[in-house]
Amino acid sequence: MVISKNFLIAKARALRRPVFLYPMKIPRLFAALPLLLAGLGAMASAADNITTPEQLFPQLDGILKRAVARSPRMIGRAIDLEIAENNRISARAGMLPSIGGSYSYYKGQDDRADLNGRIPVTKVYYSFSINQPLFYWGDRRNGARIGEIQQAITQGQVREAYRLLAQELRGIYLRLILNKLYQKKAQFSAEAARKLQRQAEERLLKKVISDAQIFGIRLDAERAQIYWDRVNFEAESMKASFARLTGDPVLNDNDIPDAIPEVADQNPSVQRLLAGFLAQKDPATPEAEEMRKKQEIERLGLLAQKNRLKPKFNLLVAASQDQQSYTLNVAQKYQVNSYYGGVSIYWTIFDGLASGAAVRNSLARIRQLELDYRALTENLGQQAQNQSRVIGFAFRNASITDRLLVSGEGNLNYRNEQFTRGVIAEEDVNAARLNFYDAQINACTSRADCLNQVSSFLGIVREDPVLANLAIK
């Protein structure tokens, strides 16, 4: 439980201190830190005017850059990239020649009836061949192209995974700053409650107040201490979670900024980016690009299914050594070395109608992908427009909380001046300070919400500058 202004006023009355009321009430605004939506890509001129959290906090920028190589998530994604590269090489292998051979060396004895005895025999067999696919109706080339497309899909997924990781790290970093403000307020509340309790204990000894009156004061002081301990625990847990995500050591309190600075309204730049995004014929979002690549893979696969019953041609060059009998005496064998080359044909004439079914399945999957792509593209424009409106709401709300912060600071200065002149009690100054802490927390929460909403929008329209940290394009 946080010590509020009403609590301090009530306890001041219990201690028979003078009370001066301040009419303004400051609402508490708790905004969520969204970590959703997708994006990848290159920076445009309008995006250069947009402020992201790492631009405000250089330390966060360094964390995001190091996370590319240190984050456990990105280490796992690096393995995906390695697998995709190996799969691309495997797919390309169908275009290259295959080389093989065998070699056998035997020593033994032949029991020859015509010679009335056994004779020692040495036998050497070998074969060596080079087989180069010559004409497969484009199937081998298309297979290599499919491997390249699948690798590009994996690269896009890695970019998107990093962008989402960066967005999550941004949100947690901003939350760490807010936690620091909560800690500051909780500490002040706990110290004020303990001081109030000490004063009440002294008045109880003097029989100025009763046991019933001090009972609530003791409970409130204990609640304030519990709240302070809990806020500290949550802050430490979040720092540990942040360190696990980044792969960096746990941040010290001194490394965390004290507040989030005021953020200028970025709606003009957002609207320019939105107009450019809506003008695109084919959206360049991660989901849309991946779906277009999948359609291309399916069309290449359709060609392969149509070519299943066509003859395939290979170019063959080979050499071999064997034994052969050239006389009526079959036991009398001679070494034969053969060298040859030519063209081989492989032709499946009938496969039980399997190729026709495979063609129809490919056509159905292509239609399904086209329908999904149409639904996705229709959704993306509305999604970007909705996010731009959310950004507008966030900045309007931030404007209000910023003005309330200025008002709260002015009220605190005014109360301090009155206390210095002896006009009001210390409890009234404490109440004004708590109001100021609330206003500061609300203002920083609204600013954090603005930054996160803008980052999410940049992801939707493929303009998030954080992707420049990645080597893959």
Side-chain angles (χ1 to χ4, degrees):
M1 178 180 178
V2 181
I3 305 300
S4 65
K5 178 178 71 175
N6 293 333
F7 164 76
L8 293 173
I9 293 176
K11 299 312 174 186
R13 286 175 176 169
L15 296 174
R16 299 179 181 177
R17 296 285 184 88
V19 175
F20 294 85
L21 296 177
Y22 188 71
M24 184 178 62
K25 296 182 179 180
I26 300 179
R28 298 185 178 185
L29 306 173
F30 298 95
L33 301 178
L35 301 173
L36 305 176
L37 307 176
L40 55 92
M43 293 177 288
S45 58
D48 294 338
N49 300 323
I50 290 184
T51 302
T52 56
E54 60 268 25
Q55 294 173 351
L56 295 176
F57 307 107
Q59 180 195 38
L60 176 60
D61 185 49
I63 291 172
L64 294 177
K65 290 178 179 177
R66 291 192 298 272
V68 175
R70 294 186 181 181
S71 171
R73 288 189 191 177
M74 297 310 298
I75 292 174
R77 291 296 182 171
I79 298 174
D80 293 340
L81 287 175
E82 182 180 357
I83 294 173
E85 171 63 15
N86 292 329
N87 289 339
R88 182 193 66 81
I89 294 174
S90 297
R92 189 189 60 177
M95 299 178 61
L96 302 178
S98 58
I99 302 174
S102 63
Y103 178 85
S104 301
Y105 177 83
Y106 301 102
K107 272 190 171 294
Q109 289 184 342
D110 284 354
D111 191 354
R112 297 282 297 273
D114 59 331
L115 300 178
N116 296 321
R118 295 182 179 181
I119 61 173
V121 176
T122 300
K123 297 181 180 181
V124 177
Y125 302 95
Y126 70 81
S127 66
F128 178 81
S129 64
I130 301 177
N131 194 333
Q132 170 65 51
L134 187 62
F135 185 70
Y136 274 66
W137 309 92
D139 288 353
R140 297 299 177 96
R141 183 178 63 254
N142 292 340
R145 175 59 185 157
I146 288 174
E148 294 174 355
I149 297 172
Q150 290 174 337
Q151 183 188 36
I153 290 176
T154 302
Q155 290 175 343
Q157 291 172 343
V158 171
R159 288 195 298 270
E160 177 61 8
Y162 175 69
R163 196 202 69 79
L164 293 175
L165 173 65
Q167 181 70 350
E168 184 175 358
L169 293 178
R170 287 165 172 165
I172 296 177
Y173 189 84
L174 295 175
R175 184 62 191 173
L176 289 174
I177 300 174
L178 294 176
N179 282 349
K180 197 170 182 179
L181 295 175
Y182 278 110
Q183 287 177 291
K184 185 177 180 181
K185 179 186 174 182
Q187 181 181 4
F188 177 80
S189 298
E191 291 175 351
R194 286 198 300 268
K195 184 175 181 180
L196 196 62
Q197 181 185 3
R198 288 195 300 269
Q199 294 172 350
E201 296 289 353
E202 293 175 0
R203 297 181 69 82
L204 178 64
L205 292 176
K206 298 177 182 179
K207 305 299 182 179
V208 177
I209 60 176
S210 65
D211 291 336
Q213 289 174 307
I214 199 174
F215 178 75
I217 297 176
R218 289 170 176 168
L219 288 182
D220 287 331
E222 188 174 350
R223 289 194 185 101
Q225 183 63 43
I226 293 173
Y227 178 74
W228 185 18
D229 294 340
R230 183 171 182 175
V231 169
N232 290 334
F233 168 75
E234 291 175 351
E236 293 300 321
S237 297
M238 187 168 292
K239 286 193 292 185
S241 176
F242 187 75
R244 287 193 297 271
L245 280 175
T246 61
D248 280 352
V250 177
L251 292 173
N252 296 321
D253 289 337
N254 295 333
D255 296 330
I256 301 174
D258 295 327
I260 301 173
E262 187 174 351
V263 183
D265 191 354
Q266 302 180 57
N267 274 298
S269 297
V270 167
Q271 294 304 317
R272 287 196 296 273
L273 286 174
L274 176 63
F277 179 76
L278 296 178
Q280 294 177 357
K281 180 181 179 181
D282 292 316
T285 64
E287 299 95 332
E289 287 188 349
E290 181 174 339
M291 198 165 290
R292 287 195 293 269
K293 288 183 174 67
K294 287 182 177 179
Q295 289 183 46
E296 186 177 356
I297 289 175
E298 200 58 51
R299 291 189 179 95
L300 293 174
L302 174 62
L303 294 176
Q305 298 301 333
K306 290 180 176 180
N307 294 331
R308 284 178 61 174
L309 298 183
K310 294 180 180 180
K312 311 298 190 300
F313 300 85
N314 292 322
L315 180 63
L316 179 66
V317 177
S320 65
Q321 177 175 296
D322 202 347
Q323 292 182 350
Q324 182 67 43
S325 174
Y326 294 101
T327 67
L328 293 177
N329 184 0
V330 296
Q332 190 173 4
K333 297 182 182 291
Y334 301 90
Q335 174 180 305
V336 179
N337 294 327
S338 300
Y339 307 94
Y340 55 93
V343 177
S344 65
I345 300 176
Y346 174 78
W347 193 351
T348 300
I349 299 176
F350 180 71
D351 62 356
L353 305 179
S355 59
V359 168
R360 291 191 294 273
N361 276 341
S362 293
L363 290 172
R365 285 193 294 268
I366 290 174
R367 289 196 299 270
Q368 188 178 53
L369 288 171
E370 288 174 346
L371 290 174
D372 294 341
Y373 181 74
R374 187 180 303 118
L376 174 66
T377 52
E378 291 174 355
N379 228 5
L380 285 173
Q382 188 63 44
Q383 189 179 15
Q385 293 180 71
N386 290 342
Q387 186 64 21
S388 68
R389 295 195 65 186
V390 170
I391 291 173
F393 298 146
F395 276 100
R396 287 165 61 187
N397 183 65
S399 175
I400 294 174
T401 56
D402 287 342
R403 282 178 282 171
L404 289 174
L405 176 60
V406 173
S407 176
E409 186 176 9
N411 177 52
L412 176 59
N413 294 334
Y414 174 69
R415 292 300 187 184
N416 280 325
E417 181 184 352
Q418 284 186 314
F419 178 71
T420 303
R421 291 188 285 110
V423 178
I424 61 174
E426 184 181 4
E427 286 74 17
D428 297 284
V429 178
N430 292 342
R433 185 171 296 278
L434 287 172
N435 279 335
F436 170 71
Y437 286 151
D438 282 337
Q440 190 178 33
I441 290 172
N442 290 336
C444 288
T445 300
S446 297
R447 295 167 185 173
D449 184 52
C450 290
L451 291 171
N452 280 282
Q453 297 293 353
V454 168
S455 297
S456 296
F457 175 79
L458 291 176
I460 295 176
V461 299
R462 197 178 180 264
E463 296 291 348
D464 198 331
V466 76
L467 289 168
N469 297 335
L470 288 177
I472 58 175
K473 302 298 181 185

